[in-house]
Amino acid sequence: MDRDAIAGVLAELGEPAYRMDQIVRAQRAGARGWDEVTTLGKGLRATLAEHGALWSVEPLERAVSGDGTVKWRLGLDDGRQIEAVLIAHARGRRTLCVSSQVGCALGCRFCSTGTMGFGRDLSVWEIVEQALIAAREADDQAARLSNVVFMGMGEPMQNLPAVFGAIEELHRPAPGLGISARQIAVSTVGWVPGIAALQDFPLPVRLAVSLHAADDETRSRMMPINQRYPIASLLSACRRYCDKTGRRVFIEYVLLDGVNDSLEDAKRLAQLLRDGRFHVNLIEYNATGDEYRASRPERRERFLLALERAGLEASVRRSRGADVDAACGQLVSRAAPAPA
Ligand code: SAH
Ligand code: SF4
């Protein structure tokens, strides 16, 4: 049930505002339905239940990878589906990859979410509840949900009001999730107006930009958005963001065999990023169709070395959860027909 709707019911009944925190605490503790929110009186629970279910997202499937990655397929009120992925790190830290939309309108060719098309925006609580489910899972693993990245389904910058609302709740001390803003990352395809909006957002979250190519021709072929915001305009937006916030920008670059992984590509990329405050994350491609293949390890190493020689900060982000189809959009697109 949407929180605005719950707030409306509580207000109508003259209930105090802290009831909402009691509800969130119960969700965090694993309550599955209103009858398990035992901090509320029976009558109130029954009234709330008449208005809708406790949760606005419901786990339909949970898959655990050999490397400890947990992936959920989640159902929404209207029958649509999204996914969330929890990645295990050393020292009990966990990163959750959340979805911000059902599907995505931007149609990047290498991305299985992109091939499903756009369904709808998620609400604040459809995003936050992904984190409540993951935080509970982390508790069960004696670990801590320390990081959240908006790298699941959808383009967060096309749903910024809900993404900002969700970030505030993720960051809020208990009964919020108390996640440090610096451990929250918003990844964008390169939606320039969104980058400008993020630089005015008061919490210092990280910005990650999916660049994936070092020339406009290659990028436009992979990512239609490049025709609207070509590389030069995107990188100027990033530089303005750095100037305004004093923070660096994380450049994502998925290495595709024979497409964007040559030595010339690495040199061009280094040239593009030479006088900025950038960190490059080279991403191993998780193959989703027949069109693209992941770069071979020796080409990946050569690419990384070329960036480092040119003085750039760079690292390789290893693919995780491949055995449970944990790449962007994979689980849902295999389990269900494209969302209408
Ligand atoms: N829409 C946003 C955030 C979601 S996608 C964006 O595009 O940035 C998160 C990241 O996963 C992006 O960098 C995207 O390019 C990348 N990605 C998509 N499909 C992938 C795949 N099959 N293997 C590896 N990375 C992928
Ligand atoms: Fe959308 Fe991001 Fe996938 Fe592109 S990579 S289609 S923007 S989710």
Side-chain angles (χ1 to χ4, degrees), residues 192-271:
V192 166
I195 296 174
L198 187 64
Q199 76 197 20
D200 293 326
F201 183 61
L203 294 173
V205 294
R206 287 181 177 213
L207 169 64
V209 172
S210 299
L211 189 61
H212 302 331
D215 66 274
D216 281 319
E217 202 189 319
T218 309
R219 192 166 192 269
S220 294
R221 261 201 310 266
M222 297 164 59
M223 308 168 75
I225 186 71
N226 196 63
Q227 275 142 30
R228 181 144 174 194
Y229 300 117
I231 293 175
S233 67
L234 172 54
L235 291 180
S236 332
C238 291
R239 290 198 163 89
R240 282 194 296 276
Y241 174 93
C242 293
D243 290 345
K244 175 88 193 274
T245 62
R247 302 195 289 269
R248 51 188 184 157
V249 172
F250 293 79
I251 297 291
E252 295 169 279
Y253 195 101
V254 65
L255 285 167
L256 303 175
D257 185 44
V259 173
N260 62 1
D261 65 344
S262 71
L263 210 46
E264 289 66 48
D265 290 315
K267 286 179 183 158
R268 223 175 285 139
L269 181 62
Q271 180 70 15

Side-chain angles (χ1 to χ4, degrees), residues 103-115 152-155 188-189 210 212 223 328:
C104 180
L106 294 164
C108 302
R109 295 273 293 272
F110 51 85
C111 168
S112 61
T113 304
T115 58
M153 293 171 72
E155 168 53 37
T188 178
V189 68
S210 299
H212 302 331
M223 308 168 75
C328 184

Side-chain angles (χ1 to χ4, degrees), residues 76-226:
L76 308 177
D77 265 2
D78 57 2
R80 293 173 196 262
Q81 295 181 8
I82 52 166
E83 58 192 29
V85 179
L86 185 68
I87 302 157
H89 306 287
R91 295 188 299 279
R93 295 167 66 87
R94 297 288 182 273
T95 294
L96 177 69
C97 180
V98 288
S99 293
S100 56
Q101 297 179 316
V102 180
C104 180
L106 294 164
C108 302
R109 295 273 293 272
F110 51 85
C111 168
S112 61
T113 304
T115 58
M116 347 174 151
F118 180 63
R120 68 166 169 86
D121 284 332
L122 296 186
S123 69
V124 170
W125 279 86
E126 285 168 336
I127 299 172
V128 172
E129 286 183 8
Q130 296 172 58
L132 289 172
I133 291 168
R136 172 104 191 124
E137 170 82 28
D139 287 347
D140 289 346
Q141 297 178 3
R144 188 169 66 86
L145 176 60
S146 54
N147 297 57
V148 174
V149 295
F150 285 81
M151 293 185 187
M153 293 171 72
E155 168 53 37
M157 297 248 175
Q158 291 197 327
N159 185 19
L160 268 184
V163 166
F164 285 163
I167 290 172
E168 279 161 6
E169 183 64 24
L170 294 172
H171 177 259
R172 183 168 76 106
L177 284 135
I179 297 170
S180 147
R182 286 182 180 77
Q183 312 298 340
I184 299 174
V186 177
S187 173
T188 178
V189 68
W191 189 253
V192 166
I195 296 174
L198 187 64
Q199 76 197 20
D200 293 326
F201 183 61
L203 294 173
V205 294
R206 287 181 177 213
L207 169 64
V209 172
S210 299
L211 189 61
H212 302 331
D215 66 274
D216 281 319
E217 202 189 319
T218 309
R219 192 166 192 269
S220 294
R221 261 201 310 266
M222 297 164 59
M223 308 168 75
I225 186 71
N226 196 63

Side-chain angles (χ1 to χ4, degrees), residues 282-284 300-301 316-320:
L282 298 175
I283 302 172
E284 278 182 44
R300 194 171 66 218
E301 289 313 311
V316 174
R317 190 195 295 154
R318 302 257 173 247
S319 171
R320 302 287 304 269

